[in-house]
Amino acid sequence: MSSRDLADYLEQRVAMLGISRSEVARRADISRQTWYRLLSADLTDAKLSTIMRLAEALETPPLHLLRLYLGEGQTTTPLNGASNDAGGFLARTLGTPANRISPSGN
């Protein structure tokens, strides 16, 4: 897990959006204590729901935050862009070749 990578990204995203740290916690409906622990890379057991709410509050793809949090190495997703490698992520997660994953689940 790379809580430091996630913390760095969160700081950059907050600055890019020009909102306060307290406002992010309010928008994501998480405690300020949890938010500050994420920012200090002191939270190593964040809930998936917390990551998802943060992604929405920070207007960023949830998959990108998950990749950072899970330490999947350097990603090339820009701060304002969406990832286009969801199939590859699912393939690695499910152990299925990427070309065999379809939107219908077949």
Side-chain angles (χ1 to χ4, degrees):
M1 173 175 22
S2 181
S3 54
R4 181 74 263 157
D5 290 340
L6 177 63
D8 291 343
Y9 178 82
L10 294 173
E11 287 282 6
Q12 291 171 11
R13 191 67 185 151
V14 168
M16 179 178 280
L17 292 173
I19 56 179
S20 70
R21 289 177 173 184
S22 296
E23 177 63 13
V24 174
R26 188 194 65 75
R27 287 182 185 186
D29 194 27
I30 61 174
S31 72
R32 282 192 278 172
Q33 179 183 14
T34 296
W35 173 233
Y36 282 97
R37 288 185 65 206
L38 280 165
L39 289 174
S40 67
D42 187 37
L43 185 65
T44 58
D45 59 349
K47 294 179 183 177
L48 179 59
S49 60
T50 299
I51 300 294
M52 300 299 285
R53 288 194 308 263
L54 274 175
E56 185 175 338
L58 293 172
E59 302 169 14
T60 195
L63 187 56
H64 183 65
L65 292 186
L66 286 170
R67 283 182 172 159
L68 289 169
Y69 184 70
L70 297 173
E72 286 198 13
Q74 296 295 330
T75 61
T76 57
T77 304
L79 289 173
N80 62 352
S83 171
N84 61 0
D85 187 32
F89 174 79
L90 289 173
R92 289 187 303 277
T93 302
L94 301 174
T96 307
N99 61 356
R100 301 214 39 207
I101 296 176
S102 67
S104 64
N106 295 328

